[in-house]
Amino acid sequence: MKETELIKACIKNNRIAQNELFQRHKDTLYFTSLKYCRNEADAEDNLHDAFITIFQKIKTFKNKGSFEGWMKRITIYKAIDKYKENKPLKIEIKDDILEENVTIEEEQNLSLDELLKLIQELPDQYRMVFNLYQMDGFSHKEIASVLKISEGTSKSNYHRAKLILREKIIEINKSLNPKAT
């Protein structure tokens, strides 16, 4: 079934079409969920919640842009909503070293799964900002709006996430290749 036909059938609550849509896109949206969630169980819950919303709002898709991109955005916002529900007391720390560039050059030795695991281990707000900015192309202004933080806090959290990831990657590389240090 073509995507446009599938969407039309899903709008009519056709369960077979909904199942086909789920089967076609579950892996991509699960990977999107994994980037934002702390672990696989949370990612599965997020995927489930995202599909519920997708099926509820599918009639609002206006065929502008890709349908998969529309679903990814829903999936990302579901994860952000869950994060906001569980968000601890916010402490804003000014960071004067934002101008310093942090590059993660060592990542060549890591598989995508290993890098994803390191990202999942980041503190929640750092993980959210890192993924929104680095992986999904949001601007710091957009991130600030979505997460209800200042633009400076978004930049600071992104910078700190990169520092943490860089240190973890260096540690892993040292343990894998102790003679290189």
Side-chain angles (χ1 to χ4, degrees):
M1 191 180 299
K2 289 183 181 177
E3 191 170 84
T4 53
E5 295 169 354
L6 192 59
I7 293 169
K8 287 177 184 175
C10 287
I11 289 171
K12 295 177 182 174
N13 288 322
N14 179 313
R15 298 289 181 224
I16 294 169
Q18 289 174 335
N19 185 50
E20 186 174 335
L21 182 76
F22 176 79
Q23 293 303 322
R24 281 188 192 180
H25 296 283
K26 68 178 181 176
D27 294 337
T28 301
L29 298 181
Y30 177 70
F31 181 74
T32 298
S33 292
L34 270 175
K35 292 189 305 188
Y36 289 92
C37 297
R38 174 78 50 205
N39 54 50
E40 290 179 6
D42 288 348
E44 288 172 9
D45 288 345
N46 190 67
L47 179 68
H48 179 262
D49 293 345
F51 267 105
I52 288 172
T53 300
I54 288 166
F55 292 135
Q56 289 172 342
K57 296 188 179 225
I58 198 164
K59 61 185 165 272
T60 66
F61 178 68
K62 303 293 185 206
N63 289 317
K64 294 180 180 174
S66 79
F67 182 62
E68 186 175 290
W70 180 79
M71 291 190 301
K72 279 184 178 180
R73 231 160 157 79
I74 288 174
T75 305
I76 290 167
Y77 279 102
K78 278 288 159 194
I80 290 170
D81 289 346
K82 185 68 73 180
Y83 160 73
K84 285 179 183 176
E85 288 174 11
N86 299 325
K87 188 175 173 184
L89 177 65
K90 181 182 104 180
I91 300 172
E92 194 170 319
I93 300 171
K94 298 286 183 200
D95 188 348
D96 296 325
I97 60 171
L98 279 176
E99 298 304 314
E100 176 186 330
N101 287 331
V102 177
T103 55
I104 303 174
E105 298 167 0
E106 293 82 7
E107 71 185 18
Q108 304 93 309
N109 296 333
L110 293 178
S111 72
L112 182 59
D113 287 341
E114 291 169 319
L115 186 57
L116 183 60
K117 185 174 178 347
L118 292 178
I119 292 169
Q120 288 173 325
E121 292 172 356
L122 288 170
D124 291 341
Q125 189 146 340
Y126 294 176
R127 185 180 70 253
M128 287 290 171
V129 171
F130 181 84
N131 282 319
L132 287 167
Y133 186 80
Q134 185 68 42
M135 309 286 249
D136 291 306
F138 282 60
S139 69
H140 285 295
K141 185 175 183 174
E142 291 170 318
I143 295 168
S145 174
V146 169
L147 296 181
K148 309 266 188 278
I149 59 177
S150 73
E151 215 172 315
T153 299
S154 176
K155 290 176 182 178
S156 174
N157 288 343
Y158 176 68
H159 177 76
R160 290 171 191 270
K162 288 194 311 182
L163 285 173
I164 292 168
L165 288 173
R166 182 177 181 273
E167 290 303 314
K168 287 184 177 199
I169 291 168
I170 289 170
E171 284 177 32
I172 289 170
N173 283 337
K174 283 180 183 176
S175 70
L176 293 176
N177 192 5
K179 292 179 182 177
T181 57

